[in-house]
Amino acid sequence: QVQLIESGGGLVQAGGSLRLSCATSARTFSNYVMGWFRQAPGKEREFVARISWTGGNTYYADSVKGRFTISRNYAKKTVDLQMNMLKPEDTAVYYCAADIPPYGSPPYSSTSYDYWGQGTQVTVSS
């Protein structure tokens, strides 16, 4: 069982920044494709960003492209989501997810991921 623990959520004004972090103790973290999803009240969970197991490839939802950056640290076994220029519509619970080999497809589908964190709340005020 892979445990994922998110942190870094909170309340921020529109235009501000937050940095989310997802930590795991999994021994084979370096083989995982990692993703971030979010779910707003009354809405379905939606894809935010994904980073390959090498760290060399990233993929973003159009709604966050240019504002959010996903990165990973192999030594710390963490995946971060730097969120800049936040908007009220970014308000949601943000979830970290791990896709273990064999990797799922498509990369933006929640069904492609095998393990999930408990989520962290991000609230952006206008």
Side-chain angles (χ1 to χ4, degrees), residues 18-99:
L18 279 176
R19 188 176 184 89
L20 306 183
S21 187
C22 172
T24 180
S25 59
R27 290 186 301 120
T28 53
F29 169 76
S30 60
N31 293 337
Y32 299 167
V33 171
M34 300 298 296
W36 285 95
F37 286 74
R38 65 187 182 187
Q39 187 167 17
K43 295 187 176 181
E44 293 187 354
R45 189 170 298 190
E46 65 172 1
F47 170 78
V48 175
R50 175 181 170 104
I51 187 166
S52 64
W53 65 273
T54 66
N57 292 299
T58 55
Y59 185 63
Y60 297 94
D62 288 342
S63 59
V64 307
K65 202 172 293 183
R67 300 187 298 123
F68 290 11
T69 303
I70 188 172
S71 60
R72 65 191 299 163
N73 185 309
Y74 293 93
K76 295 182 179 179
K77 294 185 179 180
T78 57
V79 177
D80 290 352
L81 185 68
Q82 177 65 43
M83 306 186 294
N84 299 328
M85 296 181 288
L86 283 161
K87 305 174 181 179
E89 51 263 43
D90 294 318
T91 295
V93 177
Y94 283 70
Y95 296 91
C96 173
D99 180 9

